[in-house]
Amino acid sequence: MSAETRWLTATEERAWRGLLRMSDLLVNRAGHSMQAGFGLSATDYTVLAELTRTPDGRLRIQELSRVLGWEKSRVSHHLARMVKRGLVAREECADDRRGAYVVVTAAGREAITAAAPRHVEDVRRFFLDHLTPGQITLLAEIADLIIERNAEDR
């Protein structure tokens, strides 16, 4: 660290705070919609979406943690709640006794299949419909860059 603090300019602070507020707002609005319509929290939906992106509907818990960018303890606690509700199941890893898989259940597949059309509608209504195609492309490029650069530090 240098001795000089590089304080944020007004525009930099506006961008940073705006990003945080926008993220919270979008997650909360979409989460309320998922909860009210399907009994799923925003984090339930996120976990189910990641699992159903894989061909066999399963991921190592460590890989799920990495993909989501969550601490292992957060993933473990959330998965425990989802297991109790029958949305996912835990399976031991045959080739690595320390590892485990999380697998989407039939109930979990039903839940995300029912919720996905509303989720897509919400993403469009709360987010995409307010942007031009060029802004969406630019935002996607910015997100990819920030994620890539910060993943290098892990």
Side-chain angles (χ1 to χ4, degrees), residues 20-30 126:
L20 297 177
R21 289 185 62 212
M22 179 181 66
S23 177
D24 287 345
L25 174 70
L26 293 173
V27 168
N28 286 336
R29 291 203 68 191
F126 299 145

Side-chain angles (χ1 to χ4, degrees), residues 118-135:
R118 166 75 67 79
H119 175 71
V120 170
E121 180 183 309
D122 289 345
V123 169
R124 290 194 179 286
R125 183 167 43 111
F126 299 145
F127 180 60
L128 296 173
D129 290 348
H130 303 285
L131 302 172
T132 66
Q135 289 171 323

Side-chain angles (χ1 to χ4, degrees), residues 60-89:
R60 299 264 313 240
I61 294 174
Q62 181 178 12
E63 177 65 11
L64 180 62
S65 178
R66 188 191 64 74
V67 169
L68 297 174
W70 295 356
E71 295 294 324
K72 189 173 182 250
S73 62
R74 178 180 179 193
V75 172
S76 294
H77 290 301
H78 194 78
L79 291 178
R81 290 189 295 272
M82 291 180 77
V83 166
K84 284 181 185 174
R85 292 171 44 222
L87 299 170
V88 299

Side-chain angles (χ1 to χ4, degrees), residues 60-62 72 90-101:
R60 299 264 313 240
I61 294 174
Q62 181 178 12
K72 189 173 182 250
R90 291 176 70 108
E91 290 181 357
E92 297 305 315
C93 183
D95 58 333
D96 179 2
R97 293 191 184 254
R98 293 176 299 159
Y101 287 98

